[in-house]
Amino acid sequence: MMNSDGSNVRRLTNNAATDDSPTWSPDNQQLAFASDRDGDFEIYILNVSDGTVVQQVTQNTAQDRWPLWAQ
């Protein structure tokens, strides 16, 4: 995460997995993203303020990618 001018870069995840396809929540407080940290791609949510409270929201054998927030 960073400011729009490229300053204040902060890492929100830190693991050996691939974390990609981040999508901002409608209130800009959380990110949904895809990660293969459990062996195949699932969707996770984290709080943007500090990168904590990662919650896995899918769990299946399919590759879950490109999360979207319901409006």
Side-chain angles (χ1 to χ4, degrees), residues 35-46:
S35 178
D36 66 352
R37 61 184 65 192
D38 77 342
D40 72 291
F41 278 93
E42 302 292 347
I43 304 299
Y44 294 81
I45 296 174
L46 65 77

Side-chain angles (χ1 to χ4, degrees), residues 20-71:
D20 65 17
S21 305
T23 304
W24 287 99
S25 64
D27 65 3
N28 294 320
Q29 300 299 307
Q30 296 180 311
L31 283 174
F33 63 98
S35 178
D36 66 352
R37 61 184 65 192
D38 77 342
D40 72 291
F41 278 93
E42 302 292 347
I43 304 299
Y44 294 81
I45 296 174
L46 65 77
N47 289 326
V48 175
S49 61
D50 58 10
T52 61
V53 190
V54 175
Q55 176 184 3
Q56 184 175 346
V57 295
T58 62
Q59 177 68 47
N60 57 66
T61 57
Q63 296 243 347
D64 297 317
R65 304 289 293 264
W66 307 285
L68 294 174
W69 292 90
Q71 298 292 328

